[in-house]
Amino acid sequence: MSFQIHSIRKLPFFFFTSRSSLKVCSRISPSSSAFFSTSIVGEEDPILVRDYIHSALYDPNYGYFSKRSGSVGMLESSIKFNKLEGRRAYLRHLDKIYKQSDISWFTPVELFKPWYAHGIAEAIMRTANLSVPLKIYEIGGGSGSCAKNIMDYIMLNAPSRVYNSMTYISVEISSSLAKKQLETVGEVRSHLSKYRVECRDAADRSGWGDADLQPCWVLMLEVLDNLPHDLVYSENQVSPWQEVWLQKQRDSSNISEIYKPLQDQLIKSCIDIIDLEKDHTTGRSRAITAARNIWSKAFPKPRRSWLPTGCMQLLEVLHGALPKMSLIASDFSYLPDVRIPGERAPLVSTKKDGSSTDYNSYLDAKGDADIFFPTDFWLLERMDHYCSGWKPDVKDEASKKGKKRRTITLGTDQFMEEFGLPTRTRTKDGYNPLLDDFTNTKFYISVPTHNTK
């Protein structure tokens, strides 16, 4: 859950690329450095694309994040934006920070501390039911700065009873980051009695225990982009979608895609939610439909679509464990210069000696490259409603009681102008990196309604 300096060759608003702290680790222990062609992807047992991405990012021995788990940085002090002349001065200051710290990335919470987290805290305070004790879960707590800054804000701005009765829980799979989070939050001694870290995988339902029926908040900041995705393929415009599986080629270390009929439940659910299989020719004449089929055979155009099955799985777990949760998620709404084909395709990038290299294929990621996806916020909202139990196409009248969630998607600038203090991140000439450089990022807020039983 973080941002890494990427490359000034990118568009001006894309100075940072997201990194997630939510790690769903593979339990497979590869036997050699060429683990993707020997153990993870085998000749006899093909795997789904999401399992490949799991391993490429989170394999405990060779995964991208496992090898870089100590690179999440903390600034010694907040950036004094009002003392910087403008954009150039800010970029020079940022470059200096990275060179001095020798850190791979800083989270936006860190770069804009405490103001970024204060905006989130204000959003919670305006919306929370303060008649019950406030409980906050953060998925992937990074260095702990978000938790500390939110608790600072509540301590200073909320009624004392709210702070004294609150609970803040970080769900963090990395033991080293869990330790760092406790140290950061512990800088304010009174926070520690209200804070704890649960070192586990948030997507594992068994780790949540019995469902908690009390209201709570869940934060997922730059988590969605690194969650595993699946890939489906269709050979032309009218052919059915197929699951993409990966298999090692015989007598070779290369990996090839193979295609199977739809059978995986997560994939099928995502396809249903997106309506990928829906026949949009309803109402057209048979002649038009026939002409369309002939055209697709004469000029076939293969289709590829990336499905956020990891997000789907996580939302199912959260709604099952915390049915009255309110959710705040932030992430990239789109990514520039993506070379990999398909809807919602990822950017696959590696950094070496200070320069970034983007790959043309996701199969080039073998533990040395990041794989991160844009978040389709329209689809995120649909999945959120679906996982909450609302099925708009169900004929049973008992299920037609309205949506169970109230949701809104805001640009980062809109969110911070509404809930934050944007004057605190503004430079002397009016340039504001938090508002001006994050035009491809959004916040998603989802709260339960009270009009259904």
Side-chain angles (χ1 to χ4, degrees):
M1 182 184 67
S2 48
F3 284 70
Q4 176 183 0
I5 206 74
H6 193 262
S7 175
I8 301 302
R9 65 181 173 82
K10 295 294 182 187
L11 298 181
F13 51 77
F14 191 63
F15 295 123
F16 311 100
T17 57
S18 177
R19 309 290 180 266
S20 169
S21 293
L22 179 65
K23 303 182 177 69
V24 187
C25 294
S26 166
R27 302 305 180 199
I28 301 174
S29 297
S31 58
S32 70
S33 59
F35 70 103
F36 276 91
S37 59
T38 56
S39 298
I40 302 299
V41 180
E43 293 178 356
E44 303 299 329
D45 298 312
I47 64 172
L48 284 165
V49 171
R50 69 169 179 258
D51 296 322
Y52 176 88
I53 294 175
H54 265 151
S55 301
L57 294 177
Y58 306 120
D59 181 273
N61 295 314
Y62 298 97
Y64 179 79
F65 286 110
S66 298
K67 293 192 293 186
R68 293 159 175 79
S69 60
S71 299
V72 177
M74 290 187 67
L75 296 180
E76 293 183 3
S77 59
S78 300
I79 297 175
K80 307 298 183 184
F81 294 94
N82 60 354
K83 294 185 178 180
L84 298 174
E85 290 295 333
R87 182 172 178 270
R88 287 187 178 181
Y90 168 71
L91 292 178
R92 285 196 301 268
H93 183 71
L94 203 60
D95 185 57
K96 180 181 178 181
I97 290 173
Y98 273 92
K99 288 179 178 179
Q100 287 179 342
S101 62
D102 193 29
I103 289 295
S104 295
W105 63 76
F106 289 98
T107 64
V109 167
E110 203 68 41
L111 290 174
F112 301 103
K113 71 178 182 184
W115 316 116
Y116 193 93
H118 283 187
I120 296 171
E122 175 63 19
I124 293 173
M125 293 302 300
R126 288 194 204 174
T127 318
N129 177 7
L130 299 181
S131 66
V132 298
L134 178 63
K135 179 181 284 189
I136 301 172
Y137 290 93
E138 184 180 0
I139 309 300
S143 64
S145 288
C146 183
K148 179 184 179 297
N149 294 158
I150 287 178
M151 296 183 78
D152 287 347
Y153 187 89
I154 294 173
M155 179 178 66
L156 296 173
N157 295 281
S160 58
R161 62 176 177 81
V162 175
Y163 173 73
N164 291 334
S165 64
M166 76 174 294
T167 304
Y168 197 115
I169 302 163
S170 173
V171 181
E172 175 60 62
I173 200 168
S174 167
S175 58
S176 60
L177 286 177
K179 181 180 179 181
K180 179 179 285 189
Q181 290 162 21
L182 282 170
E183 292 173 352
T184 301
V185 174
E187 292 175 6
V188 179
R189 183 167 297 183
S190 63
H191 290 351
L192 284 177
S193 62
K194 305 161 185 62
Y195 178 81
R196 72 175 184 267
V197 181
E198 296 182 359
C199 198
R200 58 183 175 85
D201 173 9
D204 183 355
R205 178 63 180 87
S206 64
W208 292 92
D210 296 335
D212 184 351
L213 302 181
Q214 294 300 309
C216 65
W217 282 85
V218 174
L219 307 181
M220 295 194 296
L221 310 181
E222 293 74 52
V223 165
L224 301 176
D225 61 352
N226 280 132
L227 291 181
H229 283 53
D230 272 295
L231 180 62
V232 291
Y233 170 83
S234 174
E235 60 185 25
N236 58 51
Q237 297 92 317
V238 295
S239 295
W241 290 99
Q242 301 178 79
E243 299 174 356
V244 177
W245 291 66
L246 301 177
Q247 188 172 38
K248 178 192 169 188
Q249 297 177 5
R250 292 188 179 276
D251 303 320
S252 171
S253 61
N254 294 328
I255 301 168
S256 60
E257 293 182 347
I258 58 176
Y259 310 110
K260 298 184 179 184
L262 298 178
Q263 56 184 335
D264 181 79
Q265 189 56 52
L266 276 175
I267 292 177
K268 291 168 70 175
S269 295
C270 279
I271 286 177
D272 289 343
I273 293 171
I274 305 172
D275 287 337
L276 279 180
E277 289 281 44
K278 187 175 182 180
D279 184 3
H280 296 285
T281 63
T282 302
R284 295 179 180 178
S285 69
R286 291 184 178 180
I288 293 176
T289 301
R292 184 170 177 264
N293 290 339
I294 294 172
W295 181 267
S296 67
K297 292 179 181 178
F299 302 97
K301 183 179 180 181
R303 298 179 296 165
R304 299 167 75 85
S305 182
W306 291 86
L307 306 177
T309 47
C311 176
M312 182 83 174
Q313 182 181 23
L314 180 58
L315 286 174
E316 285 182 344
V317 167
L318 291 174
H319 278 293
L322 308 170
K324 292 188 178 180
M325 72 166 180
S326 296
L327 172 67
I328 295 181
S330 68
D331 230 303
F332 290 111
S333 56
Y334 67 94
L335 300 170
D337 299 342
V338 174
R339 302 179 181 180
I340 295 168
E343 294 179 280
R344 296 173 294 274
L347 188 63
V348 179
S349 180
T350 188
K351 185 177 180 182
K352 186 176 182 181
D353 299 328
S355 61
S356 297
T357 301
D358 295 343
Y359 290 118
N360 295 320
S361 170
Y362 69 97
L363 295 176
D364 291 329
K366 297 180 173 66
D368 61 347
D370 195 0
I371 308 171
F372 53 106
F373 295 82
T375 295
D376 184 335
F377 282 85
W378 170 85
L379 178 54
L380 174 62
E381 182 183 36
R382 289 177 68 93
M383 290 192 299
D384 186 24
H385 287 307
Y386 179 90
C387 293
S388 72
W390 183 66
K391 308 293 191 295
D393 57 345
V394 174
K395 295 181 180 179
D396 181 9
E397 290 299 322
S399 299
K400 293 184 176 180
K401 294 184 178 180
K403 295 179 180 179
K404 298 182 179 181
R405 313 287 296 175
R406 288 182 292 134
T407 63
I408 187 171
T409 299
L410 300 171
T412 296
D413 57 341
Q414 295 173 305
F415 182 90
M416 289 300 170
E417 285 175 343
E418 176 65 29
F419 300 110
L421 292 171
T423 56
R424 299 290 190 170
T425 55
R426 185 181 299 157
T427 60
K428 291 181 179 179
D429 67 356
Y431 164 71
N432 192 323
L434 179 57
L435 304 185
D436 300 337
D437 289 349
F438 289 84
T439 58
N440 64 334
T441 63
K442 293 181 179 180
F443 274 81
Y444 175 74
I445 307 175
S446 170
V447 301
T449 62
H450 303 287
N451 60 357
T452 60
K453 295 182 180 180

